[in-house]
PDB file of all heavy atoms in Angstrom:
ATOM      1  N   ASP J 101     102.066  95.494  90.843  1.00  0.00           N
ATOM      2  CA  ASP J 101     101.914  95.526  89.390  1.00  0.00           C
ATOM      3  C   ASP J 101     102.982  94.626  88.799  1.00  0.00           C
ATOM      4  O   ASP J 101     104.177  94.951  88.867  1.00  0.00           O
ATOM      5  CB  ASP J 101     102.050  96.965  88.881  1.00  0.00           C
ATOM      6  CG  ASP J 101     101.790  97.085  87.382  1.00  0.00           C
ATOM      7  OD1 ASP J 101     102.120  96.145  86.623  1.00  0.00           O
ATOM      8  OD2 ASP J 101     101.279  98.139  86.966  1.00  0.00           O
ATOM      9  N   ASN J 102     102.570  93.524  88.222  1.00  0.00           N
ATOM     10  CA  ASN J 102     103.523  92.560  87.686  1.00  0.00           C
ATOM     11  C   ASN J 102     104.317  93.143  86.524  1.00  0.00           C
ATOM     12  O   ASN J 102     105.525  92.924  86.406  1.00  0.00           O
ATOM     13  CB  ASN J 102     102.785  91.299  87.240  1.00  0.00           C
ATOM     14  CG  ASN J 102     103.735  90.159  86.901  1.00  0.00           C
ATOM     15  OD1 ASN J 102     104.778  90.010  87.543  1.00  0.00           O
ATOM     16  ND2 ASN J 102     103.397  89.377  85.904  1.00  0.00           N
ATOM     17  N   SER J 103     103.648  93.940  85.674  1.00  0.00           N
ATOM     18  CA  SER J 103     104.327  94.486  84.491  1.00  0.00           C
ATOM     19  C   SER J 103     105.421  95.482  84.865  1.00  0.00           C
ATOM     20  O   SER J 103     106.411  95.629  84.153  1.00  0.00           O
ATOM     21  CB  SER J 103     103.315  95.164  83.561  1.00  0.00           C
ATOM     22  OG  SER J 103     102.733  96.291  84.188  1.00  0.00           O
ATOM     23  N   LYS J 104     105.238  96.139  86.008  1.00  0.00           N
ATOM     24  CA  LYS J 104     106.241  97.102  86.464  1.00  0.00           C
ATOM     25  C   LYS J 104     107.114  96.526  87.575  1.00  0.00           C
ATOM     26  O   LYS J 104     108.025  97.216  88.054  1.00  0.00           O
ATOM     27  CB  LYS J 104     105.550  98.382  86.951  1.00  0.00           C
ATOM     28  CG  LYS J 104     104.806  99.122  85.853  1.00  0.00           C
ATOM     29  CD  LYS J 104     104.175 100.400  86.380  1.00  0.00           C
ATOM     30  CE  LYS J 104     103.461 101.145  85.253  1.00  0.00           C
ATOM     31  NZ  LYS J 104     102.818 102.396  85.720  1.00  0.00           N
ATOM     32  N   ASN J 105     106.809  95.308  87.994  1.00  0.00           N
ATOM     33  CA  ASN J 105     107.538  94.665  89.086  1.00  0.00           C
ATOM     34  C   ASN J 105     107.629  95.593  90.298  1.00  0.00           C
ATOM     35  O   ASN J 105     108.714  95.812  90.869  1.00  0.00           O
ATOM     36  CB  ASN J 105     108.936  94.221  88.645  1.00  0.00           C
ATOM     37  CG  ASN J 105     109.471  93.074  89.482  1.00  0.00           C
ATOM     38  OD1 ASN J 105     108.711  92.277  90.033  1.00  0.00           O
ATOM     39  ND2 ASN J 105     110.779  92.991  89.583  1.00  0.00           N
ATOM     40  N   THR J 106     106.492  96.147  90.658  1.00  0.00           N
ATOM     41  CA  THR J 106     106.434  97.184  91.682  1.00  0.00           C
ATOM     42  C   THR J 106     105.351  96.887  92.715  1.00  0.00           C
ATOM     43  O   THR J 106     104.256  96.419  92.363  1.00  0.00           O
ATOM     44  CB  THR J 106     106.189  98.565  91.047  1.00  0.00           C
ATOM     45  OG1 THR J 106     107.288  98.879  90.177  1.00  0.00           O
ATOM     46  CG2 THR J 106     106.056  99.656  92.091  1.00  0.00           C
ATOM     47  N   LEU J 107     105.683  97.175  93.959  1.00  0.00           N
ATOM     48  CA  LEU J 107     104.754  97.057  95.085  1.00  0.00           C
ATOM     49  C   LEU J 107     104.245  98.454  95.426  1.00  0.00           C
ATOM     50  O   LEU J 107     104.989  99.437  95.294  1.00  0.00           O
ATOM     51  CB  LEU J 107     105.492  96.466  96.287  1.00  0.00           C
ATOM     52  CG  LEU J 107     104.760  96.387  97.622  1.00  0.00           C
ATOM     53  CD1 LEU J 107     103.713  95.277  97.591  1.00  0.00           C
ATOM     54  CD2 LEU J 107     105.761  96.164  98.760  1.00  0.00           C
ATOM     55  N   TYR J 108     102.998  98.555  95.869  1.00  0.00           N
ATOM     56  CA  TYR J 108     102.420  99.853  96.217  1.00  0.00           C
ATOM     57  C   TYR J 108     101.804  99.819  97.614  1.00  0.00           C
ATOM     58  O   TYR J 108     101.383  98.768  98.094  1.00  0.00           O
ATOM     59  CB  TYR J 108     101.327 100.241  95.215  1.00  0.00           C
ATOM     60  CG  TYR J 108     101.795 100.356  93.784  1.00  0.00           C
ATOM     61  CD1 TYR J 108     101.573  99.330  92.877  1.00  0.00           C
ATOM     62  CD2 TYR J 108     102.477 101.490  93.349  1.00  0.00           C
ATOM     63  CE1 TYR J 108     102.010  99.415  91.575  1.00  0.00           C
ATOM     64  CE2 TYR J 108     102.920 101.591  92.038  1.00  0.00           C
ATOM     65  CZ  TYR J 108     102.680 100.544  91.155  1.00  0.00           C
ATOM     66  OH  TYR J 108     103.114 100.643  89.854  1.00  0.00           O
ATOM     67  N   LEU J 109     101.751 100.993  98.202  1.00  0.00           N
ATOM     68  CA  LEU J 109     100.982 101.189  99.427  1.00  0.00           C
ATOM     69  C   LEU J 109     100.145 102.446  99.228  1.00  0.00           C
ATOM     70  O   LEU J 109     100.687 103.542  99.148  1.00  0.00           O
ATOM     71  CB  LEU J 109     101.886 101.335 100.653  1.00  0.00           C
ATOM     72  CG  LEU J 109     101.140 101.423 101.986  1.00  0.00           C
ATOM     73  CD1 LEU J 109     100.486 100.084 102.325  1.00  0.00           C
ATOM     74  CD2 LEU J 109     102.099 101.856 103.116  1.00  0.00           C
ATOM     75  N   GLN J 110      98.840 102.259  99.112  1.00  0.00           N
ATOM     76  CA  GLN J 110      97.918 103.386  98.979  1.00  0.00           C
ATOM     77  C   GLN J 110      97.459 103.790 100.369  1.00  0.00           C
ATOM     78  O   GLN J 110      96.866 102.975 101.077  1.00  0.00           O
ATOM     79  CB  GLN J 110      96.720 103.007  98.102  1.00  0.00           C
ATOM     80  CG  GLN J 110      95.690 104.111  97.957  1.00  0.00           C
ATOM     81  CD  GLN J 110      96.214 105.282  97.142  1.00  0.00           C
ATOM     82  OE1 GLN J 110      96.788 105.109  96.067  1.00  0.00           O
ATOM     83  NE2 GLN J 110      96.024 106.494  97.661  1.00  0.00           N
ATOM     84  N   MET J 111      97.750 105.023 100.729  1.00  0.00           N
ATOM     85  CA  MET J 111      97.411 105.506 102.062  1.00  0.00           C
ATOM     86  C   MET J 111      96.372 106.607 101.957  1.00  0.00           C
ATOM     87  O   MET J 111      96.547 107.555 101.184  1.00  0.00           O
ATOM     88  CB  MET J 111      98.677 106.050 102.744  1.00  0.00           C
ATOM     89  CG  MET J 111      99.827 105.047 102.774  1.00  0.00           C
ATOM     90  SD  MET J 111     101.268 105.666 103.653  1.00  0.00           S
ATOM     91  CE  MET J 111     101.744 107.003 102.586  1.00  0.00           C
ATOM     92  N   SER J 112      95.304 106.496 102.714  1.00  0.00           N
ATOM     93  CA  SER J 112      94.263 107.512 102.702  1.00  0.00           C
ATOM     94  C   SER J 112      93.881 107.872 104.129  1.00  0.00           C
ATOM     95  O   SER J 112      94.302 107.193 105.076  1.00  0.00           O
ATOM     96  CB  SER J 112      93.037 107.032 101.918  1.00  0.00           C
ATOM     97  OG  SER J 112      92.514 105.856 102.508  1.00  0.00           O
ATOM     98  N   SER J 113      93.106 108.925 104.271  1.00  0.00           N
ATOM     99  CA  SER J 113      92.703 109.425 105.600  1.00  0.00           C
ATOM    100  C   SER J 113      93.921 109.528 106.508  1.00  0.00           C
ATOM    101  O   SER J 113      93.905 109.078 107.660  1.00  0.00           O
ATOM    102  CB  SER J 113      91.653 108.505 106.221  1.00  0.00           C
ATOM    103  OG  SER J 113      90.517 108.401 105.400  1.00  0.00           O
ATOM    104  N   LEU J 114      94.968 110.131 105.980  1.00  0.00           N
ATOM    105  CA  LEU J 114      96.235 110.168 106.719  1.00  0.00           C
ATOM    106  C   LEU J 114      96.139 111.032 107.972  1.00  0.00           C
ATOM    107  O   LEU J 114      95.433 112.047 108.004  1.00  0.00           O
ATOM    108  CB  LEU J 114      97.343 110.671 105.799  1.00  0.00           C
ATOM    109  CG  LEU J 114      97.841 109.602 104.813  1.00  0.00           C
ATOM    110  CD1 LEU J 114      98.616 110.228 103.668  1.00  0.00           C
ATOM    111  CD2 LEU J 114      98.708 108.576 105.542  1.00  0.00           C
ATOM    112  N   ARG J 115      96.870 110.596 108.979  1.00  0.00           N
ATOM    113  CA  ARG J 115      96.893 111.263 110.279  1.00  0.00           C
ATOM    114  C   ARG J 115      98.332 111.661 110.614  1.00  0.00           C
ATOM    115  O   ARG J 115      99.279 111.108 110.052  1.00  0.00           O
ATOM    116  CB  ARG J 115      96.378 110.307 111.351  1.00  0.00           C
ATOM    117  CG  ARG J 115      95.027 109.681 111.061  1.00  0.00           C
ATOM    118  CD  ARG J 115      94.770 108.501 111.987  1.00  0.00           C
ATOM    119  NE  ARG J 115      93.465 107.858 111.728  1.00  0.00           N
ATOM    120  CZ  ARG J 115      93.108 106.688 112.227  1.00  0.00           C
ATOM    121  NH1 ARG J 115      93.946 106.023 113.008  1.00  0.00           N
ATOM    122  NH2 ARG J 115      91.917 106.186 111.941  1.00  0.00           N
ATOM    123  N   ALA J 116      98.462 112.560 111.555  1.00  0.00           N
ATOM    124  CA  ALA J 116      99.794 112.995 111.970  1.00  0.00           C
ATOM    125  C   ALA J 116     100.636 111.791 112.414  1.00  0.00           C
ATOM    126  O   ALA J 116     101.853 111.740 112.172  1.00  0.00           O
ATOM    127  CB  ALA J 116      99.678 114.014 113.090  1.00  0.00           C
ATOM    128  N   GLU J 117     100.010 110.837 113.042  1.00  0.00           N
ATOM    129  CA  GLU J 117     100.741 109.667 113.554  1.00  0.00           C
ATOM    130  C   GLU J 117     101.194 108.705 112.457  1.00  0.00           C
ATOM    131  O   GLU J 117     101.895 107.734 112.741  1.00  0.00           O
ATOM    132  CB  GLU J 117      99.919 108.911 114.595  1.00  0.00           C
ATOM    133  CG  GLU J 117      98.525 108.513 114.162  1.00  0.00           C
ATOM    134  CD  GLU J 117      97.465 109.513 114.593  1.00  0.00           C
ATOM    135  OE1 GLU J 117      97.751 110.735 114.581  1.00  0.00           O
ATOM    136  OE2 GLU J 117      96.339 109.068 114.917  1.00  0.00           O
ATOM    137  N   ASP J 118     100.815 108.975 111.212  1.00  0.00           N
ATOM    138  CA  ASP J 118     101.317 108.178 110.089  1.00  0.00           C
ATOM    139  C   ASP J 118     102.656 108.726 109.582  1.00  0.00           C
ATOM    140  O   ASP J 118     103.280 108.126 108.698  1.00  0.00           O
ATOM    141  CB  ASP J 118     100.311 108.171 108.931  1.00  0.00           C
ATOM    142  CG  ASP J 118      99.014 107.469 109.287  1.00  0.00           C
ATOM    143  OD1 ASP J 118      99.072 106.402 109.933  1.00  0.00           O
ATOM    144  OD2 ASP J 118      97.943 108.000 108.928  1.00  0.00           O
ATOM    145  N   THR J 119     103.085 109.860 110.127  1.00  0.00           N
ATOM    146  CA  THR J 119     104.380 110.426 109.765  1.00  0.00           C
ATOM    147  C   THR J 119     105.487 109.444 110.119  1.00  0.00           C
ATOM    148  O   THR J 119     105.611 109.015 111.271  1.00  0.00           O
ATOM    149  CB  THR J 119     104.609 111.755 110.506  1.00  0.00           C
ATOM    150  OG1 THR J 119     103.657 112.718 110.050  1.00  0.00           O
ATOM    151  CG2 THR J 119     106.021 112.279 110.271  1.00  0.00           C
TER     152      THR J 119
END
Side-chain angles (χ1 to χ4, degrees):
Chain J
D101 185 326
N102 190 35
S103 65
K104 296 182 179 180
N105 205 27
T106 298
L107 174 74
Y108 300 100
L109 185 69
Q110 178 69 48
M111 306 183 294
S112 60
S113 302
L114 283 163
R115 307 166 180 168
E117 53 265 37
D118 295 318
T119 294

